[in-house]
């Protein structure tokens, strides 16, 4: 049995990751591919508890190091109990955010060194890297407006515009450094056009 493939969806707040993850899952199912959908931070019982701690905007001020280590602690659980077992059984894994988000939010947004993130990435992930990443990119104001339309802000969504500009820039830099793996789609176009581009990218990947 061949190993499953690992696909991640990335982008700033409200760019449409969750919406399009469901679309990609349906597309893969139509092609007879077994797939699970998961997310970060989260994906296991313990990792979801860590997610809750990370997103809680009423908690005490969270130090940058605590935030980074919590994210990688959740990731370690997720890889061991969900991602690796699925891939080993030939099941594809579709994940809402992964380590590119750490380079974007903790690296870009919080100004943590990329070398520190890379060290933790190697420690926690070994050789595991996504096979394909779709980066949904939109001007910061558009994504924030969509996310805030829900009327509820988590600890990250309460950050200022300049934080999200740094996040966006760091995501685009990740794409520049990994052009084979990371495919950018403009997320400020109508959903039907975003999904047409997704089909082109996933279709090419399947071939
Ligand atoms: N985090 C995470 C880190 O700091 N470091 C890390 O390493 C990781 C993994 C997690 C938070 O954790 C942080 C980053 C995050 O702040 P989250 O819930 O995963 O939070 O991320 P959010 O971005 O907050 O998720 P959202 O649900 O807000 O955004 P989505 O999933 O990108 O957007 P979605 O699909 O819910 O769409 C938002 C709205 O826009 C509409 C949808 O219908 C929906 O109403 N929409 C469109 N409208 C018009 N045109 C389009 N093209 C549209 N696409 C979607």
């Amino acid at each position: 049995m061949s190993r499953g493939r690992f696909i991640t969806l990335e982008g700033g707040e409200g760019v449409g990751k969750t919406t399009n993850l469901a679309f990609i899952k349906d597309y893969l199912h139509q092609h007879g591919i077994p797939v699970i959908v998961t997310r970060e931070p989260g994906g296991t019982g313990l990792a979801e508890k860590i997610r809750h701690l990370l997103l809680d905007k009423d908690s005490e001020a969270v130090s940058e190091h605590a935030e980074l280590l919590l994210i990688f602690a959740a990731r370690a659980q997720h890889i061991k109990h969900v991602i690796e077992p699925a891939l080993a059984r030939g099941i594809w894994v579709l994940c809402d955010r992964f380590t590119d988000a750490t380079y974007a939010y903790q690296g870009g947004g919080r100004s943590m060194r990329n070398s520190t993130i890379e060290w933790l990435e190697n420690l926690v992930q070994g050789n595991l890297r996504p096979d394909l990443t779709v980066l949904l990119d939109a001007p910061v104001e558009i994504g924030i407006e969509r996310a805030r339309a829900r009327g509820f802000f988590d600890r990250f969504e309460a950050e200022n515009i300049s934080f999200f500009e740094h996040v966006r820039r760091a995501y685009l830099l990740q794409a520049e450094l990994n052009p084979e793996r990371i495919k950018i789609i403009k997320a400020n176009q109508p959903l039907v056009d975003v999904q047409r581009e997704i089909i082109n990218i996933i279709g090419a990947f399947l071939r």
Side-chain angles (χ1 to χ4, degrees):
M1 180 203 309
S2 61
R3 188 174 156 86
R5 311 304 297 273
F6 183 27
I7 301 179
T8 58
L9 226 74
E10 294 281 1
E13 307 295 309
V15 289
K17 295 176 298 299
T18 311
T19 309
N20 289 304
L21 215 64
F23 176 77
I24 297 174
K25 182 182 111 181
D26 289 347
Y27 183 78
L28 291 176
H29 271 160
Q30 284 161 22
H31 285 77
I33 294 170
V35 56
I36 58 161
V37 173
T38 185
R39 68 174 181 182
E40 289 220 345
T44 76
L46 179 56
E48 288 290 331
K49 285 184 185 163
I50 296 174
R51 176 188 179 91
H52 180 76
L53 294 174
L54 284 163
L55 299 191
D56 180 7
K57 68 176 185 333
D58 298 322
S59 68
E60 67 193 40
V62 182
S63 87
E64 280 91 349
H65 283 109
E67 183 176 284
L68 181 67
L69 292 169
L70 283 169
I71 284 167
F72 271 105
R75 186 162 294 143
Q77 288 299 109
H78 193 203
I79 290 170
K80 183 174 171 70
H81 294 296
V82 176
I83 298 176
E84 275 297 354
L87 295 175
R89 285 165 50 216
I91 297 170
W92 289 36
V93 176
L94 255 181
C95 191
D96 193 339
R97 299 188 184 280
F98 195 62
T99 308
D100 292 308
T102 315
Y103 283 102
Y105 282 78
Q106 283 62 51
R110 305 273 191 238
S111 305
M112 306 231 34
R113 284 169 190 238
N114 277 1
S115 56
T116 307
I117 299 172
E118 199 179 348
W119 188 85
L120 287 166
E121 181 181 32
N122 289 330
L123 174 77
V124 168
Q125 296 172 215
N127 291 327
L128 178 71
R129 300 291 182 274
D131 297 301
L132 173 70
T133 297
V134 176
L135 172 59
L136 296 169
D137 176 61
V140 164
E141 292 79 4
I142 290 179
I144 297 287
E145 200 175 292
R146 284 187 198 158
R148 288 187 178 167
R150 283 190 297 246
F152 167 83
F153 306 171
D154 64 34
R155 196 172 62 82
F156 288 99
E157 286 162 355
E159 291 289 343
N160 60 29
I161 292 289
S162 139
F163 175 88
F164 293 113
E165 293 288 2
H166 282 100
V167 167
R168 184 181 183 203
R169 229 171 289 145
Y171 263 133
L172 292 172
L173 179 62
Q174 278 294 100
E176 214 176 292
L177 295 174
N178 301 278
E180 288 301 312
R181 171 175 66 86
I182 304 182
K183 307 297 175 197
I184 304 176
I185 295 180
K186 280 192 198 325
N188 52 330
Q189 49 184 341
L191 190 54
V192 60
D193 295 324
V194 170
Q195 294 184 336
R196 190 174 309 122
E197 290 196 33
I198 287 178
I199 287 179
N200 287 341
I201 289 169
I202 304 286
F205 183 71
L206 290 181
R207 284 193 293 277

